[in-house]
Amino acid sequence: IISKNCEEFIFGYLGFLRAKIVSCLINEPVKPYYIENLINNYKPSYVYIPKTYKSFFNSLKTIAAIGDYLLIQINKIKRKKIDDKIALLLGTSGSTGNPKLIKLSYKNIYSNTKSILKFLPIKKSDKTITTLQPGYSYGLSVINTHLFKGATIILNNYSIVEKKFWDLFTYYSVNSMAGVPYTYSILKKLNFLKRKNLKLRYMTQAGGKLSENLVEEFNEFCKKNNSKFFIMYGQTEATARISFLNWDIIGKKKGSIGKSIYKGKMYLVDEKNKRIYKPFSKGEIIYEGPNVMIGYANNYKDLYKNFKNLKKLYTGDIAYKDKENYFYLV
């Protein structure tokens, strides 16, 4: 699926998920060579794409047209049955030309959605607006959590620097918003922090370390506007989110990524893979939980084995924890 924030994408994503059809999500814009790489490596039966990509597949049969999207048949090959635990394939961060994908199970998606809802106060009456691509695990988890609660999603493809984004934001009375560090640095430049009478209930940040100054400024902004600011840390290999820092402790724990999400466990190991218990000692973050992926795939052969959820995720990120077990990325 070439994914974008539109209802045709949502219909396809949910439809395939419910029908137990394994989907691989890639964000647009996407280069022809990357599509070719994925098709050669994974041999999909179909592609579900916006009409603007039709020229890539002119000689192939269109099975269905749904609004701006087309379902096109690629292969009629006989294949082994894909492992029934696999629900979704997502790209690794920075894998612009590499066909290596992350295998996520139904359990991964469901458990991470439920865990996020243990700390994020999403309600059925909420309205969020898409600021991230849906083929990116953080953007997809915003969609999953809001759909799970029956909340409203304003599907938007405009950048936050465009007037049309703010027209939608105002018209629909958006009351929650997600962003990565870049989003928040741009919001500051747009004088967002000087705005008043916003109906925001909360804002969330993940996708990298936000500078302490911006954390402080947005946290103060939220307090003044009867809103809440949540900081999170995650990886696609853990479906989306691994830890969170609650809004009411941000001032006391500056720079922290918080503690593990519900049903998860975070700890540190040294270079010899021995667990670190001493506060303020640096080590690699290890995460355990039901949202840890079932592995990587490099081609279609990696989809046919009997998989189990991996017990541990070696994140590759170095951190320390304080005396109260709050983690800080180094």
Side-chain angles (χ1 to χ4, degrees), residues 10-75:
I10 300 282
F11 299 157
Y13 163 66
L14 287 180
F16 299 137
L17 203 59
R18 286 171 174 170
K20 301 283 177 101
I21 295 166
V22 179
S23 300
C24 165
L25 306 188
I26 52 174
N27 288 315
E28 67 158 13
V30 57
K31 304 282 187 190
Y33 75 87
Y34 185 49
I35 294 176
E36 203 174 311
N37 264 0
L38 282 175
I39 289 171
N40 288 340
N41 277 277
Y42 290 93
K43 307 195 184 318
S45 300
Y46 302 90
V47 290
Y48 184 58
I49 56 166
K51 286 178 180 174
T52 47
Y53 290 87
K54 173 75 168 73
S55 59
F56 293 10
F57 307 98
N58 264 339
S59 60
L60 298 168
K61 186 180 179 183
T62 298
I63 303 296
I66 302 162
D68 188 44
Y69 265 62
L70 302 173
L71 183 67
I72 295 174
Q73 188 161 26
I74 297 273
N75 287 315

Side-chain angles (χ1 to χ4, degrees), residues 143-294:
I143 290 169
N144 289 339
T145 48
H146 282 77
L147 288 176
F148 195 92
K149 282 301 235 182
T152 299
I153 303 167
I154 313 303
L155 294 164
N156 156 69
N157 286 294
Y158 298 114
S159 159
I160 60 168
V161 299
E162 293 180 82
K163 182 180 179 293
K164 287 184 177 179
F165 173 88
W166 296 106
D167 289 344
L168 286 172
F169 190 95
T170 305
Y171 181 79
Y172 288 106
S173 300
V174 167
N175 63 5
S176 73
M177 190 175 176
V180 293
Y182 175 76
T183 314
Y184 286 97
S185 63
I186 295 297
L187 283 175
K188 185 182 176 181
K189 288 174 183 173
L190 293 173
N191 289 322
F192 181 82
L193 292 166
K194 292 179 181 175
R195 293 186 68 164
K196 293 178 181 176
N197 302 319
L198 290 172
K199 295 179 180 178
L200 281 174
R201 286 185 58 240
Y202 63 92
M203 302 176 81
T204 65
Q205 183 269 317
K209 189 176 168 73
L210 188 61
S211 74
E212 285 188 27
N213 286 343
L214 283 178
V215 169
E216 201 167 323
E217 287 181 81
F218 276 93
N219 191 41
E220 282 305 309
F221 167 80
C222 285
K223 280 182 186 175
K224 284 176 188 173
N225 288 277
N226 297 315
S227 183
K228 295 172 181 177
F229 191 51
F230 293 88
I231 290 168
M232 299 168 296
Y233 160 74
Q235 290 195 353
T236 305
E237 285 88 342
T239 310
R241 307 185 211 183
I242 288 173
S243 75
F244 75 100
L245 183 66
N246 214 38
W247 63 277
D248 58 354
I249 203 165
I250 285 176
K252 295 177 185 174
K253 300 291 178 183
K254 287 181 183 176
S256 175
I257 56 167
K259 293 184 175 183
S260 172
I261 61 169
Y262 178 66
K263 288 195 174 178
K265 184 164 77 171
M266 280 168 72
Y267 54 92
L268 303 172
V269 297
D270 61 20
E271 291 174 355
K272 294 178 181 176
N273 205 27
K274 289 191 175 175
R275 191 156 172 182
I276 296 170
Y277 293 95
K278 191 179 174 185
F280 306 104
S281 299
K282 296 174 188 176
E284 182 180 0
I285 297 175
I286 310 298
Y287 175 77
E288 295 179 17
N291 51 314
V292 174
M293 65 174 179
I294 49 179

